[in-house]
Amino acid sequence: MRLSAIFLLILCIFTSGCSWVKFPSIHKVKIQQGNIITQDMVDKLQPSMTGSQVQFILGTALITDTFEQTRWDYFYSQVASNGKKTQRQVTIFFNDEGKLIQITGDYSPKSASLEQ
């Protein structure tokens, strides 16, 4: 009985003082939501592009307002396995004829005529 108590005490001392011991943890997956938008993609946009041309470059907009067809919102968020959060947002505006007139958000277009 005394030997097992001593063994348990020694085991507790070694395991509590060993911060270098790495125990297996839960695998955390990187979570991505929305459209991945890069500066290169935004730089390809030109004034007077149609909605289908913009959609070819950027993909389908995450949010298209039912009541305002001239505005498309692209949103991207990512949570890395280490907990770091990244969020990007781009809003595309069209005129009444369906031609690209303005881009706002986290990326600035190369074409100065598309800026806010």
Side-chain angles (χ1 to χ4, degrees):
M1 183 73 160
R2 183 169 166 89
L3 185 60
S4 63
I6 293 173
F7 177 73
L8 184 61
L9 180 63
I10 291 173
L11 181 65
C12 288
I13 291 172
F14 280 117
T15 57
S16 65
C18 299
S19 62
W20 53 270
V21 175
K22 299 290 182 187
F23 293 103
S25 63
I26 298 172
H27 176 69
K28 296 181 181 178
V29 179
K30 178 171 58 171
I31 300 171
Q32 298 178 357
Q33 293 180 326
N35 304 76
I36 298 174
I37 304 291
T38 63
Q39 184 65 49
D40 293 334
M41 295 167 78
V42 173
D43 288 342
K44 291 178 184 177
L45 298 176
Q46 298 295 322
S48 301
M49 282 185 144
T50 64
S52 61
Q53 290 171 324
V54 171
Q55 189 174 11
F56 179 76
I57 294 171
L58 299 180
T60 304
L62 185 64
I63 301 171
T64 53
D65 191 349
T66 306
F67 300 107
E68 187 179 344
Q69 295 292 323
T70 60
R71 176 183 172 155
W72 292 358
D73 290 301
Y74 291 86
F75 180 77
Y76 171 70
S77 70
Q78 176 185 23
V79 179
S81 59
N82 62 0
K84 181 182 174 191
K85 295 180 183 179
T86 304
Q87 293 182 345
R88 298 282 183 258
Q89 180 266 335
V90 173
T91 303
I92 308 291
F93 293 96
F94 297 94
N95 62 13
D96 292 333
E97 292 85 37
K99 304 291 183 177
L100 177 63
I101 56 170
Q102 185 180 9
I103 299 172
T104 61
D106 294 324
Y107 295 106
S108 299
K110 183 170 59 173
S111 176
S113 61
L114 286 175
E115 291 185 19
Q116 197 177 32

